[in-house]
Amino acid sequence: MPDHVLGALDKATEGFVSFDQLADRLGVAIAKDAATNACELEAIRAAALYQMRDGAFVGVYVGAAPESWPSDITQVPAKTLEVWATYAETAEHPGVRARLHDLLAAAGHGQRYQHVRSSVMAYQEAALWFAAAHAVVLGLWRAGECLVRGFTLAVSAGQKDLQNILVQDMLAMADESLSGPDPAAGLVGLLIAPLLERKAWKQVARPVVEKAITVFQDDVHTQVIFLKDLRALEADSTGKEQADCAVAEAIIRAADAESGLTRLYLLNDAAIHARDSGLTDVFDDVRSDLQKLTAEDLKLETLTTQVELPLQPFDACEAHIAQAADLRDALWRVAAWDAPVGDDESATDTQQELAAGLVRLPMNRLNLAGPVLTHLKAVEEEPGADLRIVRMELVGLLIAHQLDCIWRRFNPSDADLARIFACSGEVAPPAKMAELATAFRSYWYQEPTAAKIALPLVEGLLRRYLRAAGVPIVQPAKGDKAGVVDQMGTLIDKMPGAGFEVGWQTTFRLLLADPKEGLNLRNVELHDLREGPPKHHHVALVLLAALVILRAVHNQSQ
């Protein structure tokens, strides 16, 4: 063991707080040392770069040699293990000695019992060194990790005397942090987590948990974490229920001190907790408070962006209608559009290029009719999902322009429309088509009832079309469950079975029945979940859906 190698190692460990930092320093030392002894520093550097994953060491270091260092700790060459064993006894910093003995035990070198015991004692000593490091936050965290790793090793080897010592140190460090001017919840959680996981030790953590609940009373999210830890310590149902009530009360108390969306989110969390914990009365009370919130209470702001659309597509759509021979031809020309959303839901090359340049954050949706959040947690939408809606919106504008051109050119009556829509058979009976004609007239007059008239008719059209095509749309009774006829969402799922392109199936779902990614117009309109009048081009898309089905009906009758 060359003295200059040991000296280089000890110099590299001065004040270090992470093994990545140590590896960098050793790399500098290796670059300066051209002697053959540099291979020993390289071996120690490799030891510093082994990472703990799922309780086992995994190697990620490539190194300067032609062959990279083995990922499997048990495949480390015997020569390297001897280098580790040498410096595990002679290195000045206990953090290095602890790591090397830990690796040697995992690699199966020598007597595992002795390596484990030496590692545990060195980890305990290293915690003091790291806690005194100049980098206070990182040093304390590394100190906590040393104690936890030492405890874990002591448990794995059944060394109860060392377990007792480590537990006392862990509890003392957690208590010291809670008593300080800047208590670190993460550090406290790190230190007590392995105790809470073990039946033999969990109750010794109770004083720390109870103290943390008091210390973090002004930080509801942190306090709730420790309240749930307290619940795990309770042995009977009464204690668990009291802990559940304490969690609900903490969240509600925090909500009462907030306003706007923050209050909404906290009440939503309280409602979910009360429901999942079986606190029925609390659940009802929180829901009552939640639904008292108004749009004004939420302090929502509407952000708008003006976009100048090119006139060429609108001119082309208008010219296409101008070429129609009559009203029937004009309507079927509108119905002949390709599906706004293609049969492949993945983004095109252009969409992928656009999506790659966007910052995408997990999002949630707010149903203002409650108000209530749509998802349990914020979700990350797939790239291209919002682009599909943008494409549908743009097509809606073009469809609305074409329908308006039809109105200006033909000024059709309800009877004119009903005669064109009606078809022999059950799918498009005259009476229903007269109602659909009324929806078109309401659309042209921009009456807010147009969508409410059209949407049930679209669902009925689709149901009758599927039935006529031999697609099963009924569900027989089963036990106490009544027999039912399929509704919109299920009907859309069955569209390909009746010959519709998958693109139209996707379009119908996003337009009418997808509350997560789509416009969901069927539920928004028919359940009165909309604020303000419906958008003109959204209604045009609903009428397009009706025309697409009617065109399929008439094509089959010819």
Side-chain angles (χ1 to χ4, degrees):
M1 179 188 67
D3 291 340
H4 77 277
V5 174
L6 180 60
L9 172 60
D10 290 340
K11 182 175 178 58
T13 60
E14 292 178 358
F16 91 100
V17 291
S18 76
F19 285 102
D20 286 339
Q21 181 186 42
L22 175 60
D24 290 342
R25 294 178 179 180
L26 290 174
V28 173
I30 292 169
K32 293 180 179 179
D33 191 345
T36 56
N37 291 322
C39 64
E40 295 193 3
L41 288 176
E42 177 76 0
I44 301 173
R45 187 174 193 233
L49 290 173
Y50 271 89
Q51 298 179 357
M52 180 64 66
R53 296 179 184 174
D54 298 326
F57 284 109
V58 177
V60 295
Y61 181 46
V62 177
E67 295 184 2
S68 61
W69 288 87
S71 173
D72 186 348
I73 190 67
T74 62
Q75 300 302 314
V76 174
K79 182 178 180 180
T80 299
L81 296 179
E82 291 304 323
V83 172
W84 290 356
T86 298
Y87 290 97
E89 300 297 333
T90 57
E92 179 183 13
H93 200 296
V96 174
R97 300 199 306 272
R99 165 58 71 97
L100 292 176
H101 277 298
D102 200 350
L103 289 170
L104 289 166
H109 176 274
Q111 294 184 340
R112 181 180 183 277
Y113 176 87
Q114 189 57 49
H115 280 308
V116 168
R117 191 168 185 87
S118 297
S119 180
V120 171
M121 291 188 294
Y123 272 128
Q124 183 193 14
E125 183 183 356
L128 298 175
W129 285 51
F130 285 125
H134 181 70
V136 177
V137 175
L138 291 177
L140 286 173
W141 183 263
R142 182 63 62 190
E145 288 185 327
C146 285
L147 293 178
V148 169
R149 180 59 184 167
F151 172 74
T152 303
L153 285 173
V155 171
S156 69
Q159 299 182 7
K160 293 185 178 181
D161 58 329
L162 294 180
Q163 291 178 43
N164 291 326
I165 296 173
L166 267 298
V167 167
Q168 294 304 314
D169 288 351
M170 291 159 67
L171 294 175
M173 176 175 280
D175 185 76
E176 182 179 356
S177 177
L178 292 173
S179 301
D182 189 18
L187 177 61
V188 174
L190 170 72
L191 291 165
I192 66 173
L195 304 178
L196 296 174
E197 293 169 358
R198 293 170 171 83
K199 186 176 181 180
W201 290 106
K202 61 191 302 184
Q203 291 301 329
V204 301
R206 180 183 285 270
V208 172
V209 172
E210 292 175 343
K211 185 172 183 177
I213 292 170
T214 302
V215 169
F216 294 108
Q217 59 185 343
D218 294 329
D219 181 352
V220 63
H221 299 292
T222 301
Q223 186 185 39
V224 164
I225 292 173
F226 288 109
L227 281 169
K228 290 181 178 180
D229 288 339
L230 181 63
R231 184 189 190 281
L233 295 175
E234 301 296 348
D236 55 40
S237 58
T238 301
K240 293 183 183 297
E241 183 177 351
Q242 290 175 347
D244 287 333
C245 289
V247 170
E249 291 170 0
I251 301 175
I252 294 170
R253 185 166 53 251
D256 290 341
E258 298 289 348
S259 62
L261 281 175
T262 303
R263 176 169 170 78
L264 170 72
Y265 273 104
L266 288 169
L267 288 176
N268 187 73
D269 288 346
I272 292 172
H273 170 76
R275 178 198 63 198
D276 295 346
S277 302
L279 305 175
T280 305
D281 292 341
V282 177
F283 181 45
D284 291 340
D285 291 342
V286 175
R287 285 192 296 167
S288 178
D289 290 340
L290 189 62
Q291 63 197 33
K292 289 177 183 177
L293 295 173
T294 64
E296 291 75 19
D297 294 331
L298 298 178
K299 303 176 183 179
L300 300 176
E301 295 184 10
T302 301
L303 301 179
T304 59
T305 301
Q306 291 186 349
V307 178
E308 292 188 9
L309 298 176
L311 297 177
Q312 292 86 344
F314 292 89
D315 293 340
C317 288
E318 185 171 350
H320 190 56
I321 297 301
Q323 295 170 3
D326 52 25
L327 175 61
R328 180 187 299 272
D329 184 22
L331 290 169
W332 293 155
R333 283 172 180 256
V334 175
W337 269 79
D338 291 333
V341 180
D343 57 358
D344 184 3
E345 294 191 17
S346 64
T348 62
D349 292 341
T350 301
Q351 288 174 329
Q352 290 175 347
E353 184 177 345
L354 289 171
L358 299 176
V359 176
R360 314 189 68 82
L361 299 174
M363 300 176 65
N364 211 329
R365 293 173 183 254
L366 181 61
N367 186 340
L368 287 174
V372 65
L373 294 169
T374 302
H375 306 299
L376 182 63
K377 295 181 179 179
V379 295
E380 185 172 349
E381 296 182 353
E382 295 181 2
D386 48 359
L387 297 177
R388 293 198 297 267
I389 299 303
V390 169
R391 184 165 56 182
M392 186 182 296
E393 295 272 7
L394 293 175
V395 171
L397 293 173
L398 296 174
I399 296 297
H401 185 61
Q402 285 190 320
L403 290 177
D404 291 344
C405 290
I406 290 175
W407 181 42
R408 289 194 299 268
R409 179 181 173 187
F410 299 102
N411 191 20
S413 66
D414 288 8
D416 294 333
L417 293 171
R419 280 194 298 271
I420 294 172
F421 294 157
C423 186
S424 60
E426 65 168 329
V427 180
K432 292 291 185 181
M433 296 305 97
E435 294 181 37
L436 183 60
T438 301
F440 273 79
R441 175 173 49 77
S442 297
Y443 164 78
W444 281 319
Y445 290 172
Q446 297 195 25
E447 296 174 350
T449 57
K452 285 184 169 61
I453 297 172
L455 283 163
L457 296 172
V458 170
E459 183 171 350
L461 263 174
L462 182 57
R463 182 182 296 112
R464 292 191 297 273
Y465 185 86
L466 294 176
R467 182 169 58 195
V471 177
I473 60 165
V474 296
Q475 302 295 334
K478 182 178 180 180
D480 295 334
K481 189 175 182 180
V484 295
V485 177
D486 289 339
Q487 296 187 6
M488 182 67 84
T490 307
L491 295 175
I492 292 172
D493 291 340
K494 297 179 178 180
M495 286 178 66
F500 287 101
E501 296 177 358
V502 176
W504 278 115
Q505 179 194 34
T506 303
T507 299
F508 271 55
R509 180 180 296 111
L510 291 173
L511 175 66
L512 303 173
D514 188 340
K516 293 183 178 179
E517 297 181 354
L519 300 178
N520 195 29
L521 294 183
R522 187 254 192 190
N523 293 321
V524 169
E525 291 294 330
L526 299 186
H527 295 292
D528 193 25
L529 301 177
R530 172 178 44 79
E531 295 289 334
K535 295 180 179 178
H536 193 60
H537 65 287
H538 286 176
V539 183
L541 286 170
V542 175
L543 298 181
L544 172 64
L547 289 174
V548 167
I549 301 172
L550 285 173
R551 182 170 180 264
V553 174
H554 283 265
N555 286 343
Q556 284 191 350
S557 66
Q558 293 176 356

